[in-house]
Amino acid sequence: MTVAVFFGCTFIAFGPAVALFVFTIARDPLRVIFLIAGAFFWLVSLLLSSLVWFITVQISNKNSATQQTGLLIFGVVLSVLLQETFRYGYYRLLKKANEGLLALSQEDTMPISIRQLAYVSGLGFGFMSGAFSVVNILSDSLGPGTVGIHGDSQHYFISSAFMTLAIILLHMFWGVVFFESCERQRWWALGAVVLSHLVVSCVTFVNPHYQGSLIPTYIILSVMAAWAYLCAGGSLRNLKLCLTCKDKDFLLANHRPR
Amino acid sequence: MNTSDSEEDSYNERSALVQCESPTIPSYNQDHDMSLPQETDSKQRRSVSSGLDEPGPVEQERAATPEGEEEELTLKYGAKHVIMLFIPVTLCMVVVVATIKSVSFYSEKTSQRLIYTPFEEDPNSVGQRLLNSFLNTIVMISVIVFMTIILVVLYKYRCYKFIHGWLILSSLMLLFWFSFMYLGEVFKTYNVAMDYPTLAMIIWNFGVVGMICIHWKGPLQLQQAYLIIISALMALIFIKYLPEWSAWVILGAISIYDLIAVLSPKGPLRMLVETAQERNEPIFPALIYSSAMVWMVGMADSSNPNSADQRQRNEGGALAQEGVESEDDAALGGRRRFSAEEDLEEDRGVKLGLGDFIFYSVLVGKAAANGGDWNTTLACFVAILIGLCLTLLLLAIFKKALPALPISITFGLVFYFSTDNLVRPFMDSLAAHQYYI
């Protein structure tokens, strides 16, 4: 409960995402706009799911704790499904916009490819999701207080920060895989993305037993990272070339805009 | 007790005036377009299209690359202009939110009110409170309408000195008095000891440089910074002195007024914009934030036809095809002048009225002031940015002056109330159990 905790948790939660933003998105205005639009779509999905949850809570028995928890779980599942629906909706919108531009343009190159859009929209979803999950917690961590004074876990802040980090990166990977599977019409992949999102959310129901929630989340994160890497065109060979600095394409890319 | 009349006069008329400048870009004069030299046009097209490899006369080029390339250019330049407005709007909002969250003075409610909101809001009776807030709104909007009409009449009858004097008075008030107040409150919050001579020196320098930058010439970025600062100061004053419910109703009413004033044929703002276009003059630089160079009014060294051209081209800054051709004019005009100005003139940029900055920041600031919830603030922020993006998209499609308030404020209000009442309890319950969605 100090400034150190605040800065530590902020950098844990948002560090990689902000680095990604600064190095890959900030220079291109078009990508920034699509990032913010992605964040907006996530926000609308959250709004709808909160609306439904709120209505169910109003008509339920407010005194029964188990019912409230059950409704909350229902709210979580609904929210996940709505988020994925809105991701699909955003995909359709982007396809239409892209198609319109391509039809009008005599050139073959579009200003932004669908893969870049997948990455940017996934990151937009991730930013908004992470921000909504953790910003209030971070602002509370600046003030005075004792964590877990009523017997709750003392690792509340740090576990929240790590979970948020995982969620942001996961949204980005889900975006890439989702768009790719929509492009290739691989509906099983789509289902897998939705399922993994559900699994990650449902696994948080065992909090505060963080080993039960953080470990599966990070396992799923690594799997999705590998899958997204393969979807984006990477391969073991590329990886080796990149790490040993032998990849001519990559080296050239540093010197000219792509 | 109410704050002094002249203060409110000045800053209220500023808000009245600036929100009249909320039309982003006046429509471009098409005839002027066609008479421009073509060489730079071909160069521009060559640099962006990969298909063409030799200049050739522009007519042929134009035939070869119809709307396709322009569409891609439109998208790229449009996106660039959107970002050029996102950044100052974001900065203004960040300043306001940071101040609200740290300096408690601006979120404390006092019994002091502006004379423009004379009806007191009684927290006990809902009906009475609602009625009073509507009455306050009516008073405020009528004051704004009245001021705008006076401004348009003065402009029509060429009483420039009067208008300039009015603007100078109001920016004096903002730059000296309100920044003094602001600095005082910041020092109080952080318990910084400061002596009057130092303070006088700081405020004097800040104010004088501000006056010079805004009303005369100055580096573009400094001028932009000052415009952002005065918008933030004004927004903070509104947040402090407008009663709770009245503020929300006023925000809604102002966006409706903006819509009417800019789009209807007899609307005062539209008349102002059209008159300015007819006379080939820029609308007062003290009221508009411009992302590119605007101090043409002070340019003494250019020949008259040039400066008139340049002014008109700067005025007509729009996103689409004009964006391409205007860069050529700007580049061409620039060559006839000093090289220092050339790079500044390359992009005509986009203009947004200061009133838009103020009301966006009022919305986000009020969202930050009510309760400690950051989710609401974030949601309003994203909603306003998306509204601005949509407005600029419409601008690119319709290519005439558009009100910037309605879409953003509507989104902002919708998201404020729904996030505050629906999303907040949901996210709070989730955070309490540490469930993640």
Side-chain angles (χ1 to χ4, degrees):
Chain A
M1 297 298 290
T2 58
V3 174
V5 170
F6 170 74
F7 277 114
C9 290
T10 308
F11 291 147
I12 289 175
F14 290 112
V18 170
L20 280 168
F21 175 78
V22 165
F23 288 121
T24 58
I25 297 184
R27 296 211 179 263
D28 189 352
L30 211 52
R31 291 182 201 169
V32 174
I33 293 173
F34 283 119
L35 182 101
I36 298 184
F40 180 71
F41 268 73
W42 186 89
L43 195 58
V44 177
S45 82
L46 178 68
L47 200 67
L48 282 177
S49 49
S50 319
L51 179 66
V52 174
W53 174 82
F54 190 76
I55 294 175
T56 55
V57 160
Q58 296 302 322
I59 61 181
S60 76
N61 175 14
K62 294 221 179 119
N63 296 324
S64 148
T66 45
Q67 208 182 41
Q68 295 302 313
T69 319
L71 280 179
L72 200 60
I73 292 180
F74 161 70
V76 168
V77 172
L78 177 70
S79 178
V80 168
L81 293 174
L82 270 176
Q83 281 175 49
E84 298 302 326
T85 312
F86 270 80
R87 206 197 294 274
Y88 183 69
Y90 194 41
Y91 166 75
R92 295 301 300 268
L93 184 71
L94 289 175
K95 282 296 278 185
K96 251 200 198 144
N98 255 352
E99 265 166 22
L101 274 176
L102 197 57
L104 289 171
S105 162
Q106 300 241 326
E107 311 291 329
D108 283 328
T109 54
M110 292 191 293
I112 186 167
S113 74
I114 197 77
R115 279 187 181 164
Q116 288 179 9
L117 282 175
Y119 161 63
V120 159
S121 71
L123 198 56
F125 269 57
F127 261 122
M128 213 54 186
S129 173
F132 264 62
S133 312
V134 96
V135 158
N136 278 331
I137 297 174
L138 286 177
S139 93
D140 282 339
S141 76
L142 262 178
T146 307
V147 192
I149 197 168
H150 291 298
D152 300 306
S153 162
Q154 291 189 344
H155 304 295
Y156 185 76
F157 288 127
I158 194 112
S159 62
S160 300
F162 274 108
M163 193 69 196
T164 308
L165 168 66
I167 294 271
I168 297 179
L169 294 178
L170 270 171
H171 267 291
M172 184 180 69
F173 298 139
W174 283 328
V176 173
V177 176
F178 194 98
F179 277 45
E180 184 75 14
S181 55
C182 283
E183 288 280 298
R184 303 267 172 93
Q185 314 265 332
R186 282 195 232 139
W187 306 118
W188 60 268
L190 208 72
V193 165
V194 179
L195 198 65
S196 66
H197 193 169
L198 270 173
V199 166
V200 166
S201 284
C202 294
V203 126
T204 60
F205 294 154
V206 306
N207 278 338
H209 301 289
Y210 297 124
Q211 61 272 30
S213 69
L214 280 176
I215 296 180
T217 307
Y218 274 85
I219 293 176
I220 295 184
L221 177 69
S222 357
V223 168
M224 291 304 304
W227 194 358
Y229 179 69
L230 292 172
C231 277
S235 65
L236 271 180
R237 192 178 143 270
N238 280 352
L239 193 60
K240 227 170 37 162
L241 287 177
C242 175
L243 288 175
T244 54
C245 288
K246 287 214 184 81
D247 186 348
K248 294 210 175 48
D249 272 346
F250 175 73
L251 290 174
L252 281 175
N254 280 340
H255 297 291
R256 69 156 196 266
R258 276 273 171 108
Chain B
M1 191 184 61
N2 294 322
T3 49
S4 78
D5 221 347
S6 60
E7 277 174 19
E8 280 141 21
D9 236 357
S10 51
Y11 62 70
N12 205 52
E13 64 81 17
R14 172 166 294 274
S15 76
L17 292 173
V18 300
Q19 65 98 32
C20 88
E21 302 310 338
S22 55
T24 44
I25 318 281
S27 51
Y28 192 75
N29 188 348
Q30 292 290 345
D31 307 322
H32 196 79
D33 232 3
M34 298 303 140
S35 58
L36 298 164
Q38 319 285 4
E39 309 87 57
T40 49
D41 198 23
S42 61
K43 266 194 233 133
Q44 290 281 5
R45 287 182 187 272
R46 210 184 335 139
S47 63
V48 287
S49 75
S50 48
L52 307 162
D53 37 21
E54 49 179 343
V58 181
E59 287 74 24
Q60 291 175 0
E61 263 186 65
R62 280 197 178 143
T65 59
E67 301 112 35
E69 195 188 290
E70 285 166 5
E71 283 296 330
E72 173 161 340
L73 290 172
T74 303
L75 191 62
K76 281 203 182 118
Y77 286 114
K80 193 159 149 230
H81 291 135
V82 170
I83 297 296
M84 287 203 290
L85 282 184
F86 271 10
I87 295 178
V89 169
T90 308
L91 277 174
C92 192
M93 289 197 230
V94 161
V95 168
V96 169
V97 169
T99 308
I100 295 263
K101 288 285 183 187
S102 52
V103 178
S104 59
F105 171 74
Y106 287 104
S107 40
E108 278 164 7
K109 285 298 157 191
T110 65
S111 55
Q112 273 187 341
R113 283 190 313 281
L114 303 173
I115 57 168
Y116 305 114
T117 53
F119 296 96
E120 186 179 349
E121 280 188 13
D122 177 16
N124 298 325
S125 138
V126 172
Q128 189 68 22
R129 195 169 185 182
L130 204 59
L131 181 69
N132 280 350
S133 53
F134 272 103
L135 291 172
N136 278 337
T137 309
I138 292 175
V139 172
M140 184 89 162
I141 298 284
S142 13
V143 167
I144 289 180
V145 172
F146 180 63
M147 302 263 198
T148 315
I149 293 180
I150 289 188
L151 176 74
V152 173
V153 162
L154 284 175
Y155 191 66
K156 249 190 149 67
Y157 290 110
R158 299 179 189 262
C159 310
Y160 294 138
K161 288 217 183 329
F162 194 90
I163 296 180
H164 278 127
W166 192 5
L167 287 178
I168 286 180
L169 260 179
S170 64
S171 36
L172 261 175
M173 199 65 68
L174 270 172
L175 283 169
F176 287 94
W177 177 242
F178 288 134
S179 53
F180 169 68
M181 255 173 56
Y182 178 81
L183 219 52
E185 291 307 321
V186 168
F187 289 150
K188 266 190 230 170
T189 308
Y190 291 107
N191 207 14
V192 173
M194 173 71 69
D195 53 312
Y196 274 115
T198 314
L199 188 65
M201 184 95 82
I202 295 175
I203 298 283
W204 173 253
N205 280 309
F206 176 78
V208 168
V209 176
M211 292 300 291
I212 293 177
C213 274
I214 296 175
H215 292 284
W216 194 49
K217 303 185 210 185
L220 180 67
Q221 294 196 319
L222 197 59
Q223 185 191 38
Q224 291 173 338
Y226 268 104
L227 289 174
I228 293 176
I229 289 173
I230 62 179
S231 308
L233 283 174
M234 191 68 147
L236 285 168
I237 294 293
F238 275 138
I239 294 173
K240 177 156 178 79
Y241 288 112
L242 284 179
E244 278 294 327
W245 290 21
S246 308
W248 296 114
V249 184
I250 285 175
L251 275 173
I254 278 251
S255 30
I256 298 176
Y257 166 67
D258 199 17
L259 196 64
I260 299 173
V262 174
L263 293 181
S264 82
K266 280 297 165 194
L269 302 181
R270 184 163 165 161
M271 281 171 42
L272 185 73
V273 164
E274 281 171 359
T275 319
Q277 274 177 274
E278 277 167 35
R279 297 182 192 168
N280 289 347
E281 282 164 6
I283 305 184
F284 319 103
L287 297 176
I288 298 202
Y289 175 94
S290 165
S291 52
M293 196 167 79
V294 264
W295 39 276
M296 290 306 171
V297 186
M299 285 299 246
D301 33 64
S302 51
S303 59
N304 271 340
N306 249 2
S307 60
D309 291 352
Q310 226 27 53
R311 255 184 258 134
Q312 199 209 7
R313 279 179 228 131
N314 269 337
E315 261 307 280
L319 301 176
Q321 289 119 338
E322 287 94 79
V324 181
E325 293 162 298
S326 62
E327 286 181 19
D328 317 328
D329 326 333
L332 185 65
R335 262 188 263 117
R336 293 191 211 146
R337 300 206 202 144
F338 310 120
S339 56
E341 299 147 354
E342 259 178 27
D343 28 345
L344 285 176
E345 288 173 7
E346 263 168 27
D347 191 355
R348 283 168 348 143
V350 132
K351 294 183 182 137
L352 188 63
L354 285 193
D356 300 321
F357 280 86
I358 293 175
F359 286 111
Y360 293 162
S361 309
V362 166
L363 198 148
V364 174
K366 284 203 79 65
N370 291 346
D373 198 34
W374 283 92
N375 289 346
T376 320
T377 314
L378 266 177
C380 290
F381 169 70
V382 171
I384 288 180
L385 285 186
I386 292 289
L388 187 61
C389 194
L390 282 174
T391 309
L392 288 170
L393 187 69
L394 284 177
L395 183 74
I397 296 176
F398 290 113
K399 301 193 194 28
K400 58 178 223 174
L402 287 180
L405 279 182
I407 303 182
S408 288
I409 297 284
T410 311
F411 276 9
L413 287 175
V414 164
F415 274 86
Y416 171 75
F417 286 111
S418 46
T419 310
D420 206 29
N421 298 321
L422 300 174
V423 176
R424 181 148 63 132
F426 185 47
M427 293 308 291
D428 282 346
S429 323
L430 288 179
H433 295 273
Q434 245 183 332
Y435 294 168
Y436 278 78
I437 53 171

